[in-house]
Amino acid sequence: MTHANVPAEEAPNRDWRIIGLIGTGHFLSHFYMLCLAPLFPIWREEFGVSYAVLGLSVALMSAVTALLQTPVGFLVDRHGARPYLLGGTLIMALSISAMALAPSYWVILGLAVLSGIGNSVIHPADYAILGSSIGEKRMGRAFAMHTFTGNLGFAAAPLVIGLMTQTMGVSWRAALLSLGLLGVPVVAALVLQSRILKDQARPKKGGAPVGRKVLLSRTMLMFFAFFLLSSMAGSGVQAFLIATLDQLWGTPLAVASLALTGYVVGATGGVLIGGWYADRYSRHFTFVLGLTSLSILLLLAMGLLPLPDLVLPVVALVAGTALGASRTPRDVMVKHAAPPGQIGKVFGFISSGLPLGGAITPVPFGLMLDNGMPWLVLPTVALLLVASLLCAGGARGESLRSTRSTSPAPAPAE
């Protein structure tokens, strides 16, 4: 793929500018989703509400984001991604800033819903722009940086809020006002650079299925299940690895925490390895299969064997890295399977499986620990990952069959 009206030597610089713009917005999106939770102790005293009620702010923001991603994806495909990305980012940022002026917690809840509406635009618009604007030789790295910046946003939010409110003595209102307003220059940069953000071509009439038919196809339903099951497994590890290791082997808290940190760091950095691979090789499913299988074996080892304290964090680091590296080729597989002009709705629908998976997992895994069955946690995670691979294989097979049935002649080898 080459960019229209852009000399070949300029395409890489252009691509990295686009990746930087989209990645910065994605960082803010994830940052805003986790910047409220560290304020719960302060809000509990100031507004006199329970932690259960406080949790509604994060739950509502996440739920609204997940529910609206698919409808927004239809709008992105119909009208173009740029206006929705600009509007969504601005709504998201100003909603966080407006919380600084909230006279009661119930106003914060309403603004959390509004921020979730803005946030719902990010995934469908980002992937539509990246898929249409970035050269194929850098598509894997573009998707990898998109995931990486989002993970950095999640990691940075509690740290920044804690430093501002606890160490620097900044009031929570001033913190949210200033952090929310960071979105304004990001929107300004998107406006100034909007000419390099390309919208996808409209689907041709009489071509591939459109609208709901695409999302209800076996290929997309299997990709949705792949994302859902992967998210269920990952959230189970992140939420309960420390408690599981404690109940199983009496692992010291410091060692178990280091193991979880290693897993999360590996999963975050691994996506960059996956992006490098996806741009150089075409066997994406083989890569996903191999690395996910390695992660399954290592997670089972942690759950079935009393590993030495020095070995445990290393095993967790490698397991997280392997799983993280498999994510970018997975995203590229989805992009290649999406019909032309329909990336927004496809990624809006499929990526909604990620927050849904994270919402499903905590209660059943918590019940396993509560009922004295810690030995079941990591094998269940492994089973979820095996099921996700079966769905990925099924999606790939359906995509290949669909390609053969619609192609007049065999496509040239990559």
Side-chain angles (χ1 to χ4, degrees):
M1 173 181 173
T2 58
H3 299 285
N5 303 319
V6 180
E9 66 271 16
E10 293 183 19
N13 292 333
R14 178 188 176 123
D15 283 355
W16 287 113
R17 283 165 59 199
I18 295 168
I19 291 168
L21 285 169
I22 299 299
T24 302
H26 196 222
F27 172 90
L28 285 180
S29 163
H30 284 232
F31 184 94
Y32 290 150
M33 291 190 77
L34 276 194
C35 74
L36 303 186
L39 298 174
F40 285 177
I42 300 173
W43 283 352
R44 188 170 183 266
E45 290 187 11
E46 181 161 339
F47 296 119
V49 294
S50 68
Y51 279 116
V53 174
L54 288 167
L56 277 176
S57 59
V58 176
L60 284 173
M61 190 185 298
S62 299
V64 169
T65 298
L67 288 173
L68 292 183
Q69 278 187 161
T70 302
V72 169
F74 277 83
L75 295 173
V76 164
D77 290 343
R78 183 176 301 170
H79 303 293
R82 285 176 293 181
Y84 289 98
L85 180 61
L86 295 172
T89 304
L90 190 61
I91 290 171
M92 178 177 63
L94 294 182
S95 299
I96 297 296
S97 286
M99 291 180 186
L101 307 175
S104 71
Y105 178 69
W106 308 109
V107 175
I108 289 177
L109 279 185
L111 291 169
V113 171
L114 190 60
S115 184
I117 293 172
N119 210 345
S120 69
V121 170
I122 301 299
H123 275 179
D126 282 0
Y127 280 109
I129 289 173
L130 290 175
S132 306
S133 304
I134 302 296
E136 284 294 338
K137 291 183 178 180
R138 285 169 289 278
M139 192 65 69
R141 282 167 288 178
F143 282 1
M145 286 301 298
H146 186 260
T147 302
F148 182 73
T149 54
N151 289 340
L152 285 183
F154 275 153
L159 177 64
V160 171
I161 291 292
L163 285 175
M164 293 183 73
T165 58
Q166 303 301 320
T167 304
M168 299 170 62
V170 178
S171 71
W172 70 265
R173 293 182 184 274
L176 286 185
L177 179 64
S178 57
L179 293 172
L181 290 177
L182 286 177
V184 176
V186 173
V187 172
L190 289 169
V191 171
L192 292 174
Q193 298 292 319
S194 62
R195 62 184 178 81
I196 67 172
L197 305 179
K198 302 299 182 184
D199 281 320
Q200 57 190 330
R202 302 293 172 84
K204 297 179 181 179
K205 293 183 178 180
V210 297
R212 286 176 292 179
K213 289 183 179 180
V214 174
L215 305 186
L216 297 178
S217 67
R218 286 175 59 86
T219 300
M220 296 309 163
L221 290 175
M222 286 184 176
F223 270 127
F224 175 84
F226 179 26
F227 276 55
L228 174 70
L229 292 166
S230 300
S231 176
M232 290 173 66
S235 100
V237 174
Q238 292 187 42
F240 295 107
L241 181 62
I242 293 175
T244 297
L245 294 174
D246 173 51
Q247 289 193 21
L248 273 176
W249 317 116
T251 304
L253 179 61
V255 176
S257 299
L258 186 59
L260 178 59
T261 300
Y263 175 86
V264 173
V265 169
T268 300
V271 299
L272 301 178
I273 299 172
W276 174 87
Y277 176 89
D279 282 341
R280 284 163 175 77
Y281 305 98
S282 59
R283 292 178 172 269
H284 297 148
F285 177 70
T286 302
F287 188 77
V288 171
L289 176 64
L291 288 190
T292 305
S293 298
L294 173 61
S295 185
I296 289 170
L297 292 175
L298 295 175
L299 289 168
L300 283 174
M302 288 192 287
L304 300 177
L305 301 172
L307 300 175
D309 289 351
L310 290 176
V311 174
L312 187 61
V314 177
V315 172
L317 173 66
V318 177
T321 302
L323 206 56
S326 71
R327 292 182 65 183
T328 306
R330 173 197 70 180
D331 293 346
V332 174
M333 287 168 60
V334 174
K335 189 259 180 185
H336 288 163
Q342 301 184 67
I343 294 176
K345 65 173 67 69
V346 164
F347 272 100
F349 171 63
I350 289 174
S351 62
S352 66
L354 299 176
L356 180 59
I360 291 172
T361 301
V363 172
F365 278 114
L367 288 173
M368 291 176 194
L369 293 173
D370 288 340
N371 288 281
M373 295 185 289
W375 51 269
L376 192 55
V377 172
L378 290 176
T380 301
V381 168
L383 187 62
L384 289 169
L385 289 174
V386 169
S388 76
L389 286 177
L390 293 175
C391 292
R396 176 176 175 271
E398 288 293 329
S399 179
L400 289 175
R401 280 190 288 273
S402 175
T403 300
R404 292 192 195 104
S405 66
T406 56
S407 297
E414 293 186 21

